[in-house]
Amino acid sequence: MRRFIGLALIFAAGCSKPLECTSEVTEGAGTHRASARAEAGEAEPKVRQRALGAACDRLCEARGDAKPGCSARCQVDAGAGKIGAHVRCAK
């Protein structure tokens, strides 16, 4: 019986879902969504930042703005509230 409980605990610990963040960026051109999953030991703020960056990349693609600064400018504008942005994370 002890072995069974020990094995159950080991398998339960290995089955936990990784942190995943989904970001939505809204501007006149529409809403653009993207998700990012935490890599080994990655903290939530980093995953949030990657998700926002990916959504901003999609917004820039929709605009046709392939300049490297577009995504960075989008992220700054989202942080300042100039464009709509929402990031939610869950396991």
Side-chain angles (χ1 to χ4, degrees), residues 19-50:
L19 177 69
E20 184 171 0
C21 294
T22 302
S23 178
E24 296 179 351
V25 177
T26 305
E27 196 185 43
T31 300
H32 305 278
R33 294 176 184 86
S35 295
R37 260 198 187 144
E39 296 174 6
E42 191 174 25
E44 183 176 330
K46 269 295 207 205
V47 182
R48 285 177 163 275
Q49 183 179 16
R50 284 194 306 113

PDB file of all heavy atoms in Angstrom, residues 19-50:
ATOM      1  N   LEU A  19       2.999  26.775 -16.533  1.00  0.00           N
ATOM      2  CA  LEU A  19       2.387  28.098 -16.574  1.00  0.00           C
ATOM      3  C   LEU A  19       2.255  28.529 -18.034  1.00  0.00           C
ATOM      4  O   LEU A  19       3.191  28.386 -18.815  1.00  0.00           O
ATOM      5  CB  LEU A  19       3.255  29.103 -15.814  1.00  0.00           C
ATOM      6  CG  LEU A  19       2.793  30.547 -15.835  1.00  0.00           C
ATOM      7  CD1 LEU A  19       1.511  30.695 -15.021  1.00  0.00           C
ATOM      8  CD2 LEU A  19       3.869  31.447 -15.278  1.00  0.00           C
ATOM      9  N   GLU A  20       1.088  29.032 -18.395  1.00  0.00           N
ATOM     10  CA  GLU A  20       0.869  29.537 -19.751  1.00  0.00           C
ATOM     11  C   GLU A  20       0.192  30.890 -19.653  1.00  0.00           C
ATOM     12  O   GLU A  20      -0.785  31.062 -18.932  1.00  0.00           O
ATOM     13  CB  GLU A  20       0.010  28.580 -20.567  1.00  0.00           C
ATOM     14  CG  GLU A  20      -0.144  29.020 -21.991  1.00  0.00           C
ATOM     15  CD  GLU A  20      -0.807  27.990 -22.877  1.00  0.00           C
ATOM     16  OE1 GLU A  20      -1.169  26.903 -22.388  1.00  0.00           O
ATOM     17  OE2 GLU A  20      -0.957  28.278 -24.066  1.00  0.00           O
ATOM     18  N   CYS A  21       0.724  31.866 -20.371  1.00  0.00           N
ATOM     19  CA  CYS A  21       0.153  33.212 -20.392  1.00  0.00           C
ATOM     20  C   CYS A  21      -0.386  33.506 -21.786  1.00  0.00           C
ATOM     21  O   CYS A  21       0.253  33.185 -22.786  1.00  0.00           O
ATOM     22  CB  CYS A  21       1.208  34.250 -20.022  1.00  0.00           C
ATOM     23  SG  CYS A  21       1.801  34.119 -18.324  1.00  0.00           S
ATOM     24  N   THR A  22      -1.554  34.120 -21.821  1.00  0.00           N
ATOM     25  CA  THR A  22      -2.182  34.522 -23.074  1.00  0.00           C
ATOM     26  C   THR A  22      -2.338  36.034 -23.049  1.00  0.00           C
ATOM     27  O   THR A  22      -2.789  36.604 -22.060  1.00  0.00           O
ATOM     28  CB  THR A  22      -3.556  33.856 -23.239  1.00  0.00           C
ATOM     29  OG1 THR A  22      -3.367  32.441 -23.195  1.00  0.00           O
ATOM     30  CG2 THR A  22      -4.215  34.242 -24.541  1.00  0.00           C
ATOM     31  N   SER A  23      -1.951  36.657 -24.145  1.00  0.00           N
ATOM     32  CA  SER A  23      -1.995  38.110 -24.240  1.00  0.00           C
ATOM     33  C   SER A  23      -2.914  38.533 -25.377  1.00  0.00           C
ATOM     34  O   SER A  23      -2.971  37.871 -26.414  1.00  0.00           O
ATOM     35  CB  SER A  23      -0.589  38.653 -24.498  1.00  0.00           C
ATOM     36  OG  SER A  23      -0.620  40.051 -24.638  1.00  0.00           O
ATOM     37  N   GLU A  24      -3.624  39.633 -25.166  1.00  0.00           N
ATOM     38  CA  GLU A  24      -4.465  40.237 -26.199  1.00  0.00           C
ATOM     39  C   GLU A  24      -4.072  41.702 -26.315  1.00  0.00           C
ATOM     40  O   GLU A  24      -4.008  42.413 -25.319  1.00  0.00           O
ATOM     41  CB  GLU A  24      -5.941  40.144 -25.830  1.00  0.00           C
ATOM     42  CG  GLU A  24      -6.478  38.750 -25.750  1.00  0.00           C
ATOM     43  CD  GLU A  24      -7.945  38.704 -25.359  1.00  0.00           C
ATOM     44  OE1 GLU A  24      -8.508  39.759 -24.989  1.00  0.00           O
ATOM     45  OE2 GLU A  24      -8.515  37.618 -25.422  1.00  0.00           O
ATOM     46  N   VAL A  25      -3.803  42.133 -27.523  1.00  0.00           N
ATOM     47  CA  VAL A  25      -3.474  43.532 -27.795  1.00  0.00           C
ATOM     48  C   VAL A  25      -4.541  44.039 -28.753  1.00  0.00           C
ATOM     49  O   VAL A  25      -4.775  43.442 -29.809  1.00  0.00           O
ATOM     50  CB  VAL A  25      -2.066  43.667 -28.416  1.00  0.00           C
ATOM     51  CG1 VAL A  25      -1.773  45.113 -28.751  1.00  0.00           C
ATOM     52  CG2 VAL A  25      -1.011  43.122 -27.472  1.00  0.00           C
ATOM     53  N   THR A  26      -5.195  45.142 -28.385  1.00  0.00           N
ATOM     54  CA  THR A  26      -6.283  45.678 -29.197  1.00  0.00           C
ATOM     55  C   THR A  26      -5.930  47.086 -29.671  1.00  0.00           C
ATOM     56  O   THR A  26      -5.543  47.943 -28.883  1.00  0.00           O
ATOM     57  CB  THR A  26      -7.591  45.727 -28.386  1.00  0.00           C
ATOM     58  OG1 THR A  26      -7.856  44.417 -27.882  1.00  0.00           O
ATOM     59  CG2 THR A  26      -8.752  46.186 -29.239  1.00  0.00           C
ATOM     60  N   GLU A  27      -6.086  47.279 -30.956  1.00  0.00           N
ATOM     61  CA  GLU A  27      -5.869  48.583 -31.573  1.00  0.00           C
ATOM     62  C   GLU A  27      -6.911  48.715 -32.674  1.00  0.00           C
ATOM     63  O   GLU A  27      -7.645  47.767 -32.935  1.00  0.00           O
ATOM     64  CB  GLU A  27      -4.454  48.678 -32.130  1.00  0.00           C
ATOM     65  CG  GLU A  27      -4.042  50.102 -32.438  1.00  0.00           C
ATOM     66  CD  GLU A  27      -2.691  50.161 -33.105  1.00  0.00           C
ATOM     67  OE1 GLU A  27      -2.426  49.359 -33.992  1.00  0.00           O
ATOM     68  OE2 GLU A  27      -1.926  51.048 -32.738  1.00  0.00           O
ATOM     69  N   GLY A  28      -6.949  49.826 -33.359  1.00  0.00           N
ATOM     70  CA  GLY A  28      -7.939  50.050 -34.409  1.00  0.00           C
ATOM     71  C   GLY A  28      -8.014  48.928 -35.433  1.00  0.00           C
ATOM     72  O   GLY A  28      -9.074  48.647 -35.979  1.00  0.00           O
ATOM     73  N   ALA A  29      -6.900  48.252 -35.687  1.00  0.00           N
ATOM     74  CA  ALA A  29      -6.867  47.176 -36.684  1.00  0.00           C
ATOM     75  C   ALA A  29      -7.500  45.887 -36.171  1.00  0.00           C
ATOM     76  O   ALA A  29      -7.670  44.948 -36.932  1.00  0.00           O
ATOM     77  CB  ALA A  29      -5.422  46.914 -37.111  1.00  0.00           C
ATOM     78  N   GLY A  30      -7.803  45.791 -34.903  1.00  0.00           N
ATOM     79  CA  GLY A  30      -8.411  44.590 -34.347  1.00  0.00           C
ATOM     80  C   GLY A  30      -7.688  44.096 -33.116  1.00  0.00           C
ATOM     81  O   GLY A  30      -6.804  44.761 -32.577  1.00  0.00           O
ATOM     82  N   THR A  31      -8.057  42.902 -32.684  1.00  0.00           N
ATOM     83  CA  THR A  31      -7.456  42.281 -31.511  1.00  0.00           C
ATOM     84  C   THR A  31      -6.537  41.159 -31.965  1.00  0.00           C
ATOM     85  O   THR A  31      -6.920  40.337 -32.794  1.00  0.00           O
ATOM     86  CB  THR A  31      -8.537  41.714 -30.578  1.00  0.00           C
ATOM     87  OG1 THR A  31      -9.381  42.797 -30.157  1.00  0.00           O
ATOM     88  CG2 THR A  31      -7.933  41.061 -29.351  1.00  0.00           C
ATOM     89  N   HIS A  32      -5.340  41.143 -31.409  1.00  0.00           N
ATOM     90  CA  HIS A  32      -4.335  40.143 -31.773  1.00  0.00           C
ATOM     91  C   HIS A  32      -3.950  39.383 -30.515  1.00  0.00           C
ATOM     92  O   HIS A  32      -3.638  39.977 -29.491  1.00  0.00           O
ATOM     93  CB  HIS A  32      -3.123  40.825 -32.410  1.00  0.00           C
ATOM     94  CG  HIS A  32      -3.525  41.664 -33.585  1.00  0.00           C
ATOM     95  ND1 HIS A  32      -3.725  41.130 -34.830  1.00  0.00           N
ATOM     96  CD2 HIS A  32      -3.819  42.978 -33.682  1.00  0.00           C
ATOM     97  CE1 HIS A  32      -4.109  42.094 -35.651  1.00  0.00           C
ATOM     98  NE2 HIS A  32      -4.174  43.221 -34.971  1.00  0.00           N
ATOM     99  N   ARG A  33      -3.991  38.049 -30.609  1.00  0.00           N
ATOM    100  CA  ARG A  33      -3.736  37.187 -29.451  1.00  0.00           C
ATOM    101  C   ARG A  33      -2.502  36.336 -29.670  1.00  0.00           C
ATOM    102  O   ARG A  33      -2.200  35.954 -30.798  1.00  0.00           O
ATOM    103  CB  ARG A  33      -4.928  36.263 -29.215  1.00  0.00           C
ATOM    104  CG  ARG A  33      -6.173  36.978 -28.804  1.00  0.00           C
ATOM    105  CD  ARG A  33      -7.358  36.010 -28.684  1.00  0.00           C
ATOM    106  NE  ARG A  33      -8.583  36.723 -28.376  1.00  0.00           N
ATOM    107  CZ  ARG A  33      -9.377  37.274 -29.274  1.00  0.00           C
ATOM    108  NH1 ARG A  33      -9.087  37.202 -30.548  1.00  0.00           N
ATOM    109  NH2 ARG A  33     -10.466  37.907 -28.895  1.00  0.00           N
ATOM    110  N   ALA A  34      -1.850  36.005 -28.560  1.00  0.00           N
ATOM    111  CA  ALA A  34      -0.708  35.091 -28.592  1.00  0.00           C
ATOM    112  C   ALA A  34      -0.530  34.489 -27.208  1.00  0.00           C
ATOM    113  O   ALA A  34      -0.941  35.075 -26.210  1.00  0.00           O
ATOM    114  CB  ALA A  34       0.558  35.818 -29.018  1.00  0.00           C
ATOM    115  N   SER A  35       0.076  33.319 -27.163  1.00  0.00           N
ATOM    116  CA  SER A  35       0.329  32.621 -25.895  1.00  0.00           C
ATOM    117  C   SER A  35       1.795  32.257 -25.782  1.00  0.00           C
ATOM    118  O   SER A  35       2.485  32.109 -26.787  1.00  0.00           O
ATOM    119  CB  SER A  35      -0.504  31.342 -25.811  1.00  0.00           C
ATOM    120  OG  SER A  35      -1.864  31.644 -25.764  1.00  0.00           O
ATOM    121  N   ALA A  36       2.238  32.120 -24.543  1.00  0.00           N
ATOM    122  CA  ALA A  36       3.607  31.675 -24.268  1.00  0.00           C
ATOM    123  C   ALA A  36       3.571  30.734 -23.078  1.00  0.00           C
ATOM    124  O   ALA A  36       2.832  30.968 -22.119  1.00  0.00           O
ATOM    125  CB  ALA A  36       4.509  32.866 -23.970  1.00  0.00           C
ATOM    126  N   ARG A  37       4.342  29.659 -23.154  1.00  0.00           N
ATOM    127  CA  ARG A  37       4.450  28.692 -22.061  1.00  0.00           C
ATOM    128  C   ARG A  37       5.768  28.871 -21.346  1.00  0.00           C
ATOM    129  O   ARG A  37       6.795  29.109 -21.971  1.00  0.00           O
ATOM    130  CB  ARG A  37       4.414  27.272 -22.607  1.00  0.00           C
ATOM    131  CG  ARG A  37       3.108  26.669 -22.462  1.00  0.00           C
ATOM    132  CD  ARG A  37       3.117  25.190 -22.586  1.00  0.00           C
ATOM    133  NE  ARG A  37       1.716  24.812 -22.575  1.00  0.00           N
ATOM    134  CZ  ARG A  37       1.207  23.852 -23.253  1.00  0.00           C
ATOM    135  NH1 ARG A  37       1.961  23.102 -23.987  1.00  0.00           N
ATOM    136  NH2 ARG A  37      -0.070  23.610 -23.187  1.00  0.00           N
ATOM    137  N   ALA A  38       5.726  28.712 -20.043  1.00  0.00           N
ATOM    138  CA  ALA A  38       6.941  28.831 -19.236  1.00  0.00           C
ATOM    139  C   ALA A  38       7.908  27.707 -19.588  1.00  0.00           C
ATOM    140  O   ALA A  38       7.502  26.558 -19.755  1.00  0.00           O
ATOM    141  CB  ALA A  38       6.596  28.781 -17.755  1.00  0.00           C
ATOM    142  N   GLU A  39       9.150  28.068 -19.721  1.00  0.00           N
ATOM    143  CA  GLU A  39      10.198  27.078 -19.905  1.00  0.00           C
ATOM    144  C   GLU A  39      10.740  26.732 -18.524  1.00  0.00           C
ATOM    145  O   GLU A  39      10.385  27.366 -17.547  1.00  0.00           O
ATOM    146  CB  GLU A  39      11.265  27.645 -20.827  1.00  0.00           C
ATOM    147  CG  GLU A  39      10.714  27.903 -22.229  1.00  0.00           C
ATOM    148  CD  GLU A  39      11.687  28.603 -23.139  1.00  0.00           C
ATOM    149  OE1 GLU A  39      12.852  28.806 -22.743  1.00  0.00           O
ATOM    150  OE2 GLU A  39      11.281  28.952 -24.249  1.00  0.00           O
ATOM    151  N   ALA A  40      11.597  25.768 -18.428  1.00  0.00           N
ATOM    152  CA  ALA A  40      12.103  25.261 -17.147  1.00  0.00           C
ATOM    153  C   ALA A  40      12.543  26.389 -16.213  1.00  0.00           C
ATOM    154  O   ALA A  40      13.467  27.132 -16.518  1.00  0.00           O
ATOM    155  CB  ALA A  40      13.258  24.304 -17.373  1.00  0.00           C
ATOM    156  N   GLY A  41      11.841  26.535 -15.093  1.00  0.00           N
ATOM    157  CA  GLY A  41      12.219  27.493 -14.063  1.00  0.00           C
ATOM    158  C   GLY A  41      11.971  28.952 -14.412  1.00  0.00           C
ATOM    159  O   GLY A  41      12.425  29.843 -13.706  1.00  0.00           O
ATOM    160  N   GLU A  42      11.250  29.227 -15.469  1.00  0.00           N
ATOM    161  CA  GLU A  42      11.015  30.607 -15.891  1.00  0.00           C
ATOM    162  C   GLU A  42       9.940  31.257 -15.024  1.00  0.00           C
ATOM    163  O   GLU A  42       8.894  30.670 -14.759  1.00  0.00           O
ATOM    164  CB  GLU A  42      10.590  30.622 -17.362  1.00  0.00           C
ATOM    165  CG  GLU A  42      10.576  31.989 -17.979  1.00  0.00           C
ATOM    166  CD  GLU A  42      10.295  31.932 -19.464  1.00  0.00           C
ATOM    167  OE1 GLU A  42       9.667  30.968 -19.935  1.00  0.00           O
ATOM    168  OE2 GLU A  42      10.712  32.862 -20.153  1.00  0.00           O
ATOM    169  N   ALA A  43      10.194  32.466 -14.575  1.00  0.00           N
ATOM    170  CA  ALA A  43       9.267  33.187 -13.698  1.00  0.00           C
ATOM    171  C   ALA A  43       8.098  33.764 -14.499  1.00  0.00           C
ATOM    172  O   ALA A  43       8.217  34.033 -15.697  1.00  0.00           O
ATOM    173  CB  ALA A  43      10.001  34.309 -12.976  1.00  0.00           C
ATOM    174  N   GLU A  44       6.976  33.962 -13.819  1.00  0.00           N
ATOM    175  CA  GLU A  44       5.765  34.463 -14.472  1.00  0.00           C
ATOM    176  C   GLU A  44       5.959  35.811 -15.192  1.00  0.00           C
ATOM    177  O   GLU A  44       5.471  35.968 -16.314  1.00  0.00           O
ATOM    178  CB  GLU A  44       4.620  34.573 -13.466  1.00  0.00           C
ATOM    179  CG  GLU A  44       3.326  35.007 -14.113  1.00  0.00           C
ATOM    180  CD  GLU A  44       2.154  35.026 -13.164  1.00  0.00           C
ATOM    181  OE1 GLU A  44       2.122  34.236 -12.198  1.00  0.00           O
ATOM    182  OE2 GLU A  44       1.255  35.848 -13.395  1.00  0.00           O
ATOM    183  N   PRO A  45       6.664  36.797 -14.606  1.00  0.00           N
ATOM    184  CA  PRO A  45       6.821  38.062 -15.335  1.00  0.00           C
ATOM    185  C   PRO A  45       7.498  37.899 -16.701  1.00  0.00           C
ATOM    186  O   PRO A  45       7.139  38.580 -17.665  1.00  0.00           O
ATOM    187  CB  PRO A  45       7.688  38.909 -14.398  1.00  0.00           C
ATOM    188  CG  PRO A  45       7.424  38.359 -13.041  1.00  0.00           C
ATOM    189  CD  PRO A  45       7.212  36.887 -13.249  1.00  0.00           C
ATOM    190  N   LYS A  46       8.447  36.982 -16.807  1.00  0.00           N
ATOM    191  CA  LYS A  46       9.120  36.734 -18.084  1.00  0.00           C
ATOM    192  C   LYS A  46       8.156  36.133 -19.102  1.00  0.00           C
ATOM    193  O   LYS A  46       8.163  36.490 -20.284  1.00  0.00           O
ATOM    194  CB  LYS A  46      10.296  35.779 -17.900  1.00  0.00           C
ATOM    195  CG  LYS A  46      11.593  36.447 -17.615  1.00  0.00           C
ATOM    196  CD  LYS A  46      12.004  37.267 -18.811  1.00  0.00           C
ATOM    197  CE  LYS A  46      13.505  37.401 -18.845  1.00  0.00           C
ATOM    198  NZ  LYS A  46      13.923  38.582 -19.560  1.00  0.00           N
ATOM    199  N   VAL A  47       7.313  35.202 -18.648  1.00  0.00           N
ATOM    200  CA  VAL A  47       6.353  34.554 -19.539  1.00  0.00           C
ATOM    201  C   VAL A  47       5.318  35.580 -20.003  1.00  0.00           C
ATOM    202  O   VAL A  47       4.935  35.617 -21.176  1.00  0.00           O
ATOM    203  CB  VAL A  47       5.669  33.349 -18.858  1.00  0.00           C
ATOM    204  CG1 VAL A  47       4.711  32.651 -19.809  1.00  0.00           C
ATOM    205  CG2 VAL A  47       6.713  32.373 -18.345  1.00  0.00           C
ATOM    206  N   ARG A  48       4.881  36.443 -19.089  1.00  0.00           N
ATOM    207  CA  ARG A  48       3.943  37.517 -19.447  1.00  0.00           C
ATOM    208  C   ARG A  48       4.545  38.416 -20.521  1.00  0.00           C
ATOM    209  O   ARG A  48       3.875  38.775 -21.488  1.00  0.00           O
ATOM    210  CB  ARG A  48       3.624  38.384 -18.224  1.00  0.00           C
ATOM    211  CG  ARG A  48       2.701  37.762 -17.241  1.00  0.00           C
ATOM    212  CD  ARG A  48       2.507  38.671 -16.016  1.00  0.00           C
ATOM    213  NE  ARG A  48       1.346  38.275 -15.284  1.00  0.00           N
ATOM    214  CZ  ARG A  48       0.107  38.675 -15.549  1.00  0.00           C
ATOM    215  NH1 ARG A  48      -0.123  39.512 -16.507  1.00  0.00           N
ATOM    216  NH2 ARG A  48      -0.898  38.221 -14.842  1.00  0.00           N
ATOM    217  N   GLN A  49       5.816  38.767 -20.347  1.00  0.00           N
ATOM    218  CA  GLN A  49       6.496  39.642 -21.295  1.00  0.00           C
ATOM    219  C   GLN A  49       6.606  38.973 -22.673  1.00  0.00           C
ATOM    220  O   GLN A  49       6.383  39.623 -23.697  1.00  0.00           O
ATOM    221  CB  GLN A  49       7.888  39.990 -20.768  1.00  0.00           C
ATOM    222  CG  GLN A  49       8.649  40.949 -21.632  1.00  0.00           C
ATOM    223  CD  GLN A  49      10.018  41.263 -21.045  1.00  0.00           C
ATOM    224  OE1 GLN A  49      10.517  40.563 -20.171  1.00  0.00           O
ATOM    225  NE2 GLN A  49      10.637  42.309 -21.534  1.00  0.00           N
ATOM    226  N   ARG A  50       6.930  37.681 -22.693  1.00  0.00           N
ATOM    227  CA  ARG A  50       7.027  36.977 -23.968  1.00  0.00           C
ATOM    228  C   ARG A  50       5.676  36.890 -24.670  1.00  0.00           C
ATOM    229  O   ARG A  50       5.578  37.032 -25.891  1.00  0.00           O
ATOM    230  CB  ARG A  50       7.609  35.572 -23.768  1.00  0.00           C
ATOM    231  CG  ARG A  50       9.094  35.587 -23.535  1.00  0.00           C
ATOM    232  CD  ARG A  50       9.760  34.221 -23.661  1.00  0.00           C
ATOM    233  NE  ARG A  50       9.186  33.177 -22.832  1.00  0.00           N
ATOM    234  CZ  ARG A  50       8.547  32.115 -23.310  1.00  0.00           C
ATOM    235  NH1 ARG A  50       8.394  31.928 -24.600  1.00  0.00           N
ATOM    236  NH2 ARG A  50       8.063  31.200 -22.480  1.00  0.00           N
TER     237      ARG A  50
END
